[in-house]
Amino acid sequence: MKAAVLYETKQPLVLEDVDLDEPKAGEVLVKVGAAGICRSDRHFMHGDARINLPAILGHEGAGTVERVGPGVTLTKPGDQVILSFVPACGRCKSCLAGYSNLCDLHMATGPFMLDGTCRLHKNGQDIHHMGKVACFAEYAVVPETGCIPVSADVPMDIAAMIGCCVPTGVGAAVYSAQVQPGSTVAVVGCGGVGLNVIMGAKLLNAAKIIAVDIRESQLEFAMKFGATHSVNASDRDPVAQVKELTGGLGADYTFEVFGSAETIKAAYDMSAKRGTVTVVGIAPMDTEASFNAVDLVRNEKTIRGTYYGSARSRNDMPAMVELYLSGKLNLDDLVVRHYGLDQINQAYDDMDQGEVGRGAIVFD
Ligand SMILES: NC(=O)c1ccc[n+]([C@@H]2O[C@H](COP(=O)([O-])OP(=O)(O)OC[C@H]3O[C@@H](n4cnc5c(N)ncnc54)[C@H](O)[C@@H]3O)[C@@H](O)[C@H]2O)c1
Ligand SMILES: [Zn+2]
Ligand SMILES: [Zn+2]
Protein backbone atom coordinates (compact mmCIF):
# COMPACT_ATOMS: atom_id res chain seq x y z
CA MET A 1 0.00 0.00 0.00
CA LYS A 2 0.98 3.65 -0.40
CA ALA A 3 2.02 5.54 2.72
CA ALA A 4 3.83 8.74 3.71
CA VAL A 5 6.88 7.76 5.77
CA LEU A 6 8.96 9.95 8.08
CA TYR A 7 12.58 8.74 7.84
CA GLU A 8 14.38 11.82 9.13
CA THR A 9 13.30 14.93 10.98
CA LYS A 10 13.27 18.23 9.08
CA GLN A 11 12.89 16.28 5.82
CA PRO A 12 9.70 15.86 3.77
CA LEU A 13 7.60 12.74 4.23
CA VAL A 14 8.43 10.10 1.62
CA LEU A 15 5.52 8.71 -0.36
CA GLU A 16 6.20 5.06 -1.14
CA ASP A 17 4.93 1.49 -1.01
CA VAL A 18 5.21 -0.24 2.36
CA ASP A 19 4.13 -3.64 3.70
CA LEU A 20 1.31 -4.03 6.19
CA ASP A 21 0.77 -7.29 8.10
CA GLU A 22 -2.62 -8.89 8.62
CA PRO A 23 -4.34 -7.88 11.88
CA LYS A 24 -3.39 -10.06 14.85
CA ALA A 25 -5.70 -11.01 17.74
CA GLY A 26 -7.72 -8.01 18.89
CA GLU A 27 -6.68 -5.95 15.85
CA VAL A 28 -8.53 -4.55 12.87
CA LEU A 29 -7.55 -3.69 9.29
CA VAL A 30 -9.09 -0.36 8.29
CA LYS A 31 -9.20 1.21 4.82
CA VAL A 32 -8.45 4.82 5.63
CA GLY A 33 -11.09 7.27 4.37
CA ALA A 34 -9.72 10.58 5.64
CA ALA A 35 -6.84 11.84 7.77
CA GLY A 36 -6.62 15.27 9.39
CA ILE A 37 -3.65 17.63 9.27
CA CYS A 38 -2.92 18.23 12.98
CA ARG A 39 0.06 20.11 14.37
CA SER A 40 0.98 17.17 16.63
CA ASP A 41 2.35 15.28 13.58
CA ARG A 42 4.29 18.39 12.61
CA HIS A 43 6.11 18.35 15.96
CA PHE A 44 7.56 14.92 15.06
CA MET A 45 8.56 16.12 11.58
CA HIS A 46 10.32 19.14 13.06
CA GLY A 47 11.99 17.07 15.80
CA ASP A 48 10.13 19.02 18.53
CA ALA A 49 8.68 15.70 19.72
CA ARG A 50 10.34 12.29 19.58
CA ILE A 51 9.12 9.12 17.88
CA ASN A 52 11.04 5.99 16.81
CA LEU A 53 11.93 6.31 13.12
CA PRO A 54 10.99 5.43 10.51
CA ALA A 55 7.37 6.13 11.35
CA ILE A 56 4.06 6.62 9.64
CA LEU A 57 2.36 9.64 11.18
CA GLY A 58 -1.32 10.58 11.12
CA HIS A 59 -3.43 10.20 14.25
CA GLU A 60 -6.66 11.99 13.27
CA GLY A 61 -8.41 9.50 11.06
CA ALA A 62 -11.51 7.59 10.05
CA GLY A 63 -12.16 4.76 7.65
CA THR A 64 -13.98 1.53 6.91
CA VAL A 65 -13.25 -1.82 8.55
CA GLU A 66 -11.95 -4.24 5.95
CA ARG A 67 -11.02 -7.33 8.01
CA VAL A 68 -10.75 -8.21 11.69
CA GLY A 69 -8.27 -10.41 13.53
CA PRO A 70 -9.14 -13.28 15.89
CA GLY A 71 -11.36 -12.47 18.86
CA VAL A 72 -12.51 -9.03 17.71
CA THR A 73 -16.00 -8.18 19.00
CA LEU A 74 -16.14 -4.38 19.06
CA THR A 75 -16.43 -3.87 15.30
CA LYS A 76 -16.96 -5.83 12.07
CA PRO A 77 -16.13 -5.56 8.36
CA GLY A 78 -18.06 -2.74 6.69
CA ASP A 79 -18.31 -0.53 9.79
CA GLN A 80 -17.33 3.10 9.39
CA VAL A 81 -15.04 3.89 12.31
CA ILE A 82 -13.30 6.83 13.94
CA LEU A 83 -9.73 5.97 14.97
CA SER A 84 -8.56 6.82 18.49
CA PHE A 85 -4.89 7.60 19.10
CA VAL A 86 -5.28 6.28 22.64
CA PRO A 87 -6.72 2.77 22.17
CA ALA A 88 -7.29 2.07 25.84
CA CYS A 89 -6.67 -1.35 27.43
CA GLY A 90 -9.53 -1.00 29.94
CA ARG A 91 -7.48 -2.76 32.64
CA CYS A 92 -4.69 -0.46 33.80
CA LYS A 93 -4.87 1.93 36.74
CA SER A 94 -5.67 4.95 34.53
CA CYS A 95 -8.38 3.12 32.59
CA LEU A 96 -9.95 1.79 35.79
CA ALA A 97 -9.94 5.26 37.32
CA GLY A 98 -11.90 6.56 34.31
CA TYR A 99 -8.99 8.25 32.54
CA SER A 100 -8.70 6.01 29.53
CA ASN A 101 -7.19 8.96 27.61
CA LEU A 102 -4.07 8.30 29.71
CA CYS A 103 -4.06 4.46 29.34
CA ASP A 104 -0.85 3.16 30.90
CA LEU A 105 -0.44 0.22 28.50
CA HIS A 106 -0.87 2.47 25.48
CA MET A 107 1.65 4.99 26.83
CA ALA A 108 4.15 2.22 27.69
CA THR A 109 4.00 0.72 24.18
CA GLY A 110 4.16 4.10 22.35
CA PRO A 111 4.42 3.79 18.56
CA PHE A 112 4.20 -0.03 18.67
CA MET A 113 1.03 -2.08 18.75
CA LEU A 114 -0.17 -3.12 22.23
CA ASP A 115 1.94 -6.32 22.05
CA GLY A 116 5.09 -4.24 21.51
CA THR A 117 5.61 -5.11 17.81
CA CYS A 118 4.99 -3.32 14.48
CA ARG A 119 2.67 -4.33 11.63
CA LEU A 120 4.31 -1.87 9.22
CA HIS A 121 7.56 -2.79 7.41
CA LYS A 122 9.71 -1.92 4.40
CA ASN A 123 12.53 -4.16 3.17
CA GLY A 124 12.46 -6.08 6.45
CA GLN A 125 12.76 -2.91 8.57
CA ASP A 126 10.01 -2.04 11.08
CA ILE A 127 8.05 1.17 10.58
CA HIS A 128 6.43 2.64 13.69
CA HIS A 129 2.76 3.54 14.16
CA MET A 130 2.04 7.09 15.39
CA GLY A 131 -0.56 6.76 18.15
CA LYS A 132 -1.24 3.17 16.99
CA VAL A 133 -3.17 4.87 14.15
CA ALA A 134 -0.63 5.77 11.41
CA CYS A 135 -3.34 6.93 9.03
CA PHE A 136 -1.15 8.77 6.50
CA ALA A 137 -1.48 5.54 4.54
CA GLU A 138 -4.11 3.77 2.49
CA TYR A 139 -4.67 1.15 5.19
CA ALA A 140 -4.04 0.90 8.92
CA VAL A 141 -3.94 -1.99 11.37
CA VAL A 142 -5.20 -0.71 14.73
CA PRO A 143 -6.29 -2.23 18.06
CA GLU A 144 -10.04 -2.90 18.14
CA THR A 145 -10.41 -0.58 21.14
CA GLY A 146 -9.14 2.22 18.89
CA CYS A 147 -12.06 1.77 16.48
CA ILE A 148 -15.18 3.72 17.37
CA PRO A 149 -18.06 2.81 15.03
CA VAL A 150 -19.84 5.86 13.63
CA SER A 151 -22.97 6.27 11.52
CA ALA A 152 -22.27 6.35 7.78
CA ASP A 153 -24.27 9.65 7.79
CA VAL A 154 -21.15 11.36 9.09
CA PRO A 155 -18.90 12.39 6.19
CA MET A 156 -15.46 10.73 6.35
CA ASP A 157 -13.50 13.97 6.76
CA ILE A 158 -15.69 15.03 9.67
CA ALA A 159 -15.45 11.58 11.27
CA ALA A 160 -11.65 11.99 11.05
CA MET A 161 -11.87 15.33 12.92
CA ILE A 162 -13.69 13.53 15.73
CA GLY A 163 -10.51 11.45 16.01
CA CYS A 164 -8.46 14.36 17.38
CA CYS A 165 -9.24 18.08 17.12
CA VAL A 166 -12.91 17.80 18.13
CA PRO A 167 -12.55 15.74 21.33
CA THR A 168 -9.30 17.55 22.18
CA GLY A 169 -10.72 21.05 21.77
CA VAL A 170 -14.34 20.58 22.79
CA GLY A 171 -13.22 18.21 25.56
CA ALA A 172 -10.73 20.77 26.93
CA ALA A 173 -13.65 23.14 27.54
CA VAL A 174 -16.29 20.57 28.52
CA TYR A 175 -14.44 17.79 30.36
CA SER A 176 -11.21 19.45 31.53
CA ALA A 177 -12.03 23.08 32.37
CA GLN A 178 -15.81 22.59 32.72
CA VAL A 179 -16.54 26.14 31.61
CA GLN A 180 -19.46 27.67 33.53
CA PRO A 181 -22.40 29.49 31.88
CA GLY A 182 -21.94 33.26 31.78
CA SER A 183 -18.17 33.08 32.20
CA THR A 184 -15.43 34.70 30.12
CA VAL A 185 -13.06 32.58 28.05
CA ALA A 186 -9.85 33.38 26.15
CA VAL A 187 -8.40 30.95 23.61
CA VAL A 188 -4.75 31.51 22.61
CA GLY A 189 -4.18 29.87 19.22
CA CYS A 190 -7.18 29.45 16.92
CA GLY A 191 -6.15 26.67 14.55
CA GLY A 192 -8.04 23.38 14.16
CA VAL A 193 -7.92 22.55 17.87
CA GLY A 194 -8.46 26.12 19.16
CA LEU A 195 -11.62 26.49 17.06
CA ASN A 196 -12.98 23.41 18.80
CA VAL A 197 -12.20 24.90 22.21
CA ILE A 198 -14.24 27.93 21.10
CA MET A 199 -17.12 25.63 20.05
CA GLY A 200 -16.93 23.84 23.41
CA ALA A 201 -17.07 27.14 25.30
CA LYS A 202 -20.05 28.23 23.21
CA LEU A 203 -21.81 24.93 23.89
CA LEU A 204 -21.50 25.63 27.63
CA ASN A 205 -22.90 29.17 27.22
CA ALA A 206 -19.80 31.16 28.01
CA ALA A 207 -20.81 34.82 27.79
CA LYS A 208 -17.63 36.18 26.24
CA ILE A 209 -15.26 34.11 24.10
CA ILE A 210 -12.09 35.96 23.15
CA ALA A 211 -10.10 34.50 20.26
CA VAL A 212 -6.37 35.29 20.45
CA ASP A 213 -4.07 34.63 17.49
CA ILE A 214 -1.22 36.29 15.61
CA ARG A 215 -3.09 36.12 12.32
CA GLU A 216 -6.08 38.28 11.42
CA SER A 217 -7.42 35.56 9.07
CA GLN A 218 -7.64 33.04 11.95
CA LEU A 219 -9.40 35.62 14.13
CA GLU A 220 -12.02 36.38 11.48
CA PHE A 221 -12.56 32.66 10.87
CA ALA A 222 -12.97 32.05 14.63
CA MET A 223 -16.08 34.28 14.67
CA LYS A 224 -17.92 31.58 12.65
CA PHE A 225 -17.46 29.13 15.53
CA GLY A 226 -18.65 31.29 18.41
CA ALA A 227 -15.86 33.76 19.27
CA THR A 228 -17.40 37.04 20.40
CA HIS A 229 -14.20 39.13 20.48
CA SER A 230 -10.76 38.91 18.96
CA VAL A 231 -7.28 39.91 19.99
CA ASN A 232 -4.39 40.12 17.54
CA ALA A 233 -1.33 39.12 19.55
CA SER A 234 1.05 40.43 16.89
CA ASP A 235 -0.24 44.04 17.23
CA ARG A 236 0.01 44.53 20.96
CA ASP A 237 0.47 42.55 24.21
CA PRO A 238 -2.40 40.04 24.18
CA VAL A 239 -2.55 40.02 28.00
CA ALA A 240 -3.29 43.76 28.13
CA GLN A 241 -5.89 43.41 25.37
CA VAL A 242 -7.72 40.55 27.13
CA LYS A 243 -7.66 42.53 30.38
CA GLU A 244 -9.20 45.53 28.57
CA LEU A 245 -11.97 43.35 27.16
CA THR A 246 -12.77 41.95 30.62
CA GLY A 247 -12.90 45.22 32.61
CA GLY A 248 -9.39 44.66 33.94
CA LEU A 249 -10.27 41.30 35.50
CA GLY A 250 -8.85 38.80 33.03
CA ALA A 251 -10.72 35.74 31.71
CA ASP A 252 -12.25 33.09 33.97
CA TYR A 253 -11.01 30.30 31.69
CA THR A 254 -8.00 30.58 29.43
CA PHE A 255 -6.74 27.95 27.01
CA GLU A 256 -3.32 27.67 25.43
CA VAL A 257 -3.67 25.96 22.05
CA PHE A 258 -0.40 26.55 20.20
CA GLY A 259 2.40 24.98 22.26
CA SER A 260 5.15 27.33 23.51
CA ALA A 261 6.45 28.73 26.78
CA GLU A 262 5.49 32.22 25.61
CA THR A 263 1.84 31.40 24.87
CA ILE A 264 1.51 29.36 28.09
CA LYS A 265 2.71 32.38 30.07
CA ALA A 266 0.33 34.66 28.16
CA ALA A 267 -2.61 32.31 28.87
CA TYR A 268 -1.62 32.31 32.54
CA ASP A 269 -1.20 36.08 32.81
CA MET A 270 -4.54 36.85 31.14
CA SER A 271 -6.49 34.62 33.55
CA ALA A 272 -8.67 36.17 36.25
CA LYS A 273 -8.69 35.75 40.01
CA ARG A 274 -9.69 32.08 40.65
CA GLY A 275 -9.17 31.54 36.93
CA THR A 276 -8.41 28.19 35.33
CA VAL A 277 -5.62 27.93 32.76
CA THR A 278 -5.83 24.85 30.54
CA VAL A 279 -2.80 23.95 28.45
CA VAL A 280 -3.71 22.01 25.29
CA GLY A 281 -0.77 22.85 23.03
CA ILE A 282 2.25 20.55 23.01
CA ALA A 283 5.41 22.62 23.38
CA PRO A 284 8.79 21.44 22.03
CA MET A 285 10.18 18.72 24.32
CA ASP A 286 12.13 19.96 27.35
CA THR A 287 10.29 23.32 27.29
CA GLU A 288 9.93 24.84 30.76
CA ALA A 289 7.11 27.35 31.19
CA SER A 290 6.97 29.89 34.02
CA PHE A 291 4.44 31.94 35.91
CA ASN A 292 4.53 34.15 38.97
CA ALA A 293 4.36 31.91 42.05
CA VAL A 294 2.85 34.57 44.31
CA ASP A 295 0.14 35.43 41.78
CA LEU A 296 -0.79 31.73 41.65
CA VAL A 297 -1.42 31.67 45.40
CA ARG A 298 -2.88 35.09 46.08
CA ASN A 299 -5.30 34.83 43.16
CA GLU A 300 -6.10 31.15 43.72
CA LYS A 301 -5.45 30.24 40.11
CA THR A 302 -5.47 26.72 38.70
CA ILE A 303 -3.20 25.60 35.88
CA ARG A 304 -3.64 22.19 34.28
CA GLY A 305 -2.82 20.25 31.16
CA THR A 306 -5.27 18.24 29.12
CA TYR A 307 -4.52 15.26 26.89
CA TYR A 308 -7.10 14.33 24.24
CA GLY A 309 -9.42 16.85 25.94
CA SER A 310 -9.65 14.43 28.89
CA ALA A 311 -12.12 12.59 26.63
CA ARG A 312 -12.58 8.84 26.89
CA SER A 313 -12.73 7.85 23.23
CA ARG A 314 -15.26 5.02 23.37
CA ASN A 315 -17.63 6.99 25.55
CA ASP A 316 -17.18 10.56 24.44
CA MET A 317 -16.58 10.33 20.67
CA PRO A 318 -20.14 9.02 20.12
CA ALA A 319 -21.34 12.04 22.15
CA MET A 320 -19.38 14.37 19.84
CA VAL A 321 -20.99 12.65 16.85
CA GLU A 322 -24.45 13.30 18.33
CA LEU A 323 -23.57 16.94 18.96
CA TYR A 324 -22.54 17.26 15.31
CA LEU A 325 -25.63 15.46 13.95
CA SER A 326 -27.92 17.64 16.09
CA GLY A 327 -26.31 20.81 14.71
CA LYS A 328 -24.59 21.86 17.94
CA LEU A 329 -21.04 21.57 16.60
CA ASN A 330 -20.28 23.37 13.35
CA LEU A 331 -17.89 20.81 11.94
CA ASP A 332 -19.08 21.34 8.35
CA ASP A 333 -17.24 24.69 8.22
CA LEU A 334 -14.11 23.34 9.90
CA VAL A 335 -12.49 21.31 7.10
CA VAL A 336 -11.71 23.82 4.41
CA ARG A 337 -8.89 22.14 2.47
CA HIS A 338 -8.81 18.66 0.97
CA TYR A 339 -5.67 16.98 -0.37
CA GLY A 340 -4.60 13.67 -1.86
CA LEU A 341 -1.99 11.65 0.07
CA ASP A 342 0.61 12.71 -2.53
CA GLN A 343 0.04 16.35 -1.46
CA ILE A 344 0.75 15.73 2.22
CA ASN A 345 3.91 17.85 2.43
CA GLN A 346 2.01 20.72 0.79
CA ALA A 347 -0.79 20.26 3.34
CA TYR A 348 1.70 20.77 6.20
CA ASP A 349 3.31 23.74 4.47
CA ASP A 350 -0.14 25.30 4.19
CA MET A 351 -0.63 24.80 7.94
CA ASP A 352 2.70 26.53 8.60
CA GLN A 353 1.65 29.38 6.31
CA GLY A 354 -1.38 29.88 8.53
CA GLU A 355 -4.15 28.75 6.20
CA VAL A 356 -7.37 28.88 8.25
CA GLY A 357 -9.36 25.86 9.50
CA ARG A 358 -8.40 22.21 9.21
CA GLY A 359 -6.93 20.42 6.23
CA ALA A 360 -7.68 16.77 5.52
CA ILE A 361 -6.20 14.07 3.32
CA VAL A 362 -8.99 12.22 1.54
CA PHE A 363 -8.65 8.76 -0.01
CA ASP A 364 -10.73 7.30 -2.88
N1 LIG B 1 -3.30 17.99 24.22
C1 LIG B 1 -3.61 17.21 23.21
O1 LIG B 1 -4.06 16.10 23.39
C2 LIG B 1 -3.43 17.71 21.82
C3 LIG B 1 -4.13 17.11 20.75
C4 LIG B 1 -4.01 17.67 19.48
C5 LIG B 1 -3.18 18.74 19.26
N2 LIG B 1 -2.47 19.25 20.31
C6 LIG B 1 -1.60 20.40 20.14
O2 LIG B 1 -2.38 21.58 20.07
C7 LIG B 1 -1.64 22.58 19.38
C8 LIG B 1 -2.51 23.19 18.29
O3 LIG B 1 -2.73 22.25 17.26
P1 LIG B 1 -3.47 22.66 15.90
O4 LIG B 1 -3.50 21.44 15.07
O5 LIG B 1 -4.72 23.40 16.21
O6 LIG B 1 -2.39 23.69 15.28
P2 LIG B 1 -2.62 24.87 14.23
O7 LIG B 1 -1.32 25.13 13.62
O8 LIG B 1 -3.80 24.55 13.37
O9 LIG B 1 -3.05 26.12 15.16
C9 LIG B 1 -2.14 26.87 15.94
C10 LIG B 1 -2.62 28.32 15.94
O10 LIG B 1 -1.80 29.07 16.85
C11 LIG B 1 -1.56 30.33 16.27
N3 LIG B 1 -0.39 30.95 16.91
C12 LIG B 1 0.93 30.79 16.62
N4 LIG B 1 1.69 31.55 17.45
C13 LIG B 1 0.84 32.22 18.28
C14 LIG B 1 1.01 33.17 19.32
N5 LIG B 1 2.23 33.58 19.70
N6 LIG B 1 -0.09 33.66 19.94
C15 LIG B 1 -1.33 33.25 19.57
N7 LIG B 1 -1.56 32.36 18.58
C16 LIG B 1 -0.50 31.85 17.94
C17 LIG B 1 -1.40 30.03 14.79
O11 LIG B 1 -1.58 31.21 13.99
C18 LIG B 1 -2.51 29.00 14.57
O12 LIG B 1 -3.74 29.61 14.25
C19 LIG B 1 -0.38 21.88 18.86
O13 LIG B 1 0.70 22.10 19.75
C20 LIG B 1 -0.78 20.43 18.88
O14 LIG B 1 0.32 19.55 18.95
C21 LIG B 1 -2.59 18.77 21.57
ZN1 LIG C 1 -4.06 15.83 16.73
ZN1 LIG D 1 -5.33 1.17 30.08
Side-chain angles (χ1 to χ4, degrees), residues 240-260:
Q241 295 188 70
V242 169
K243 290 244 166 111
E244 278 163 27
L245 287 171
T246 52
L249 299 174
D252 300 318
Y253 299 92
T254 67
F255 296 87
E256 192 283 340
V257 207
F258 171 62
S260 73

Side-chain angles (χ1 to χ4, degrees), residues 91-348:
R91 298 172 179 196
C92 70
K93 189 166 188 283
S94 297
C95 283
L96 292 174
Y99 310 115
S100 63
N101 60 314
L102 303 179
C103 173
D104 303 341
L105 180 62
H106 168 69
M107 299 293 178
T109 47
F112 298 89
M113 300 301 283
L114 290 166
D115 69 357
T117 63
C118 293
R119 302 291 164 271
L120 290 160
H121 318 275
K122 170 100 184 173
N123 301 329
Q125 183 185 20
D126 282 345
I127 301 178
H128 302 85
H129 304 239
M130 154 97 171
K132 299 180 180 61
V133 174
C135 62
F136 291 159
E138 291 175 314
Y139 291 87
V141 167
V142 300
E144 66 169 325
T145 55
C147 287
I148 291 82
V150 58
S151 155
D153 295 344
V154 180
M156 245 344 154
D157 55 346
I158 287 172
M161 299 299 118
I162 302 175
C164 178
C165 64
V166 177
T168 299
V170 175
V174 175
Y175 305 127
S176 312
Q178 302 181 13
V179 168
Q180 294 299 300
S183 58
T184 55
V185 170
V187 180
V188 183
C190 301
V193 181
L195 293 169
N196 279 283
V197 176
I198 290 170
M199 282 193 268
K202 182 182 177 204
L203 202 59
L204 297 178
N205 295 315
K208 208 175 255 185
I209 304 175
I210 305 168
V212 182
D213 205 290
I214 50 170
R215 292 192 173 96
E216 206 51 47
S217 53
Q218 316 289 57
L219 294 171
E220 274 167 33
F221 195 66
M223 295 307 206
K224 276 193 185 184
F225 299 87
T228 58
H229 298 74
S230 67
V231 158
N232 190 327
S234 65
D235 289 350
R236 207 155 57 78
D237 175 23
V239 176
Q241 295 188 70
V242 169
K243 290 244 166 111
E244 278 163 27
L245 287 171
T246 52
L249 299 174
D252 300 318
Y253 299 92
T254 67
F255 296 87
E256 192 283 340
V257 207
F258 171 62
S260 73
E262 179 204 353
T263 42
I264 292 169
K265 178 157 171 49
Y268 178 86
D269 288 341
M270 65 178 64
S271 68
K273 200 174 262 189
R274 303 212 81 237
T276 300
V277 183
T278 305
V279 180
V280 184
I282 299 179
M285 45 186 181
D286 308 328
T287 297
E288 303 263 326
S290 68
F291 49 82
N292 185 286
V294 179
D295 176 79
L296 177 77
V297 176
R298 292 187 74 100
N299 290 314
E300 290 198 354
K301 291 187 179 180
T302 301
I303 179 162
R304 65 165 297 174
T306 178
Y307 194 63
Y308 226 149
S310 310
R312 299 147 303 165
S313 300
R314 301 200 67 76
N315 199 62
D316 299 328
M317 284 180 182
M320 303 281 157
V321 171
E322 290 306 320
L323 286 169
Y324 164 68
L325 291 174
S326 60
K328 295 194 173 70
L329 288 179
N330 176 17
L331 305 184
D332 290 322
D333 285 338
L334 189 64
V335 194
V336 286
R337 278 163 288 119
H338 293 91
Y339 304 90
L341 184 61
D342 56 344
Q343 295 170 300
I344 190 153
N345 291 305
Q346 180 64 47
Y348 272 99

